[in-house]
Amino acid sequence: MPNFLVTLLAAEISLAPLGTLISGMKEAMTWIFGRFSTVVNTVASNDLLLYPVLLAMVIAVVTLVIKILRKFGLKSRRS
């Protein structure tokens, strides 16, 4: 058995209770979704941000579709 495993098994390791871990994950997800909703509300309420963000999202979707089509072997006429 490798030396680090022997050391690890010999040391007393105390794990947090599962309920504590789950509640911590819930708090983290609540915080992340709160930040996300703040960003969405900021973008949606400001026209100077809304249109560039929508344009970037459309460009990202078109680029993703093109990459997926190329994975399946479809190429443009010029390629």
Side-chain angles (χ1 to χ4, degrees):
M1 183 177 285
N3 192 18
F4 69 91
L5 284 178
V6 173
T7 307
L8 182 65
L9 293 175
E12 291 185 23
I13 300 173
S14 62
L15 298 176
L18 189 59
T20 305
L21 293 174
I22 291 174
S23 68
M25 289 173 60
K26 285 181 182 178
E27 290 177 18
M29 292 304 293
T30 302
W31 182 80
I32 289 170
F33 285 130
R35 295 295 116 209
F36 181 73
S37 67
T38 302
V39 169
V40 168
N41 287 335
T42 301
V43 169
S45 66
N46 189 346
D47 286 340
L48 289 175
L49 292 174
L50 180 63
Y51 298 119
V53 169
L54 287 176
L55 179 64
M57 290 172 65
V58 168
I59 291 171
V61 167
V62 169
T63 304
L64 182 65
V65 168
I66 289 171
K67 285 187 177 191
I68 290 172
L69 289 176
R70 287 192 177 177
K71 287 276 187 185
F72 286 115
L74 298 172
K75 303 272 186 206
S76 66
R77 292 182 185 193
R78 289 187 267 162
S79 297

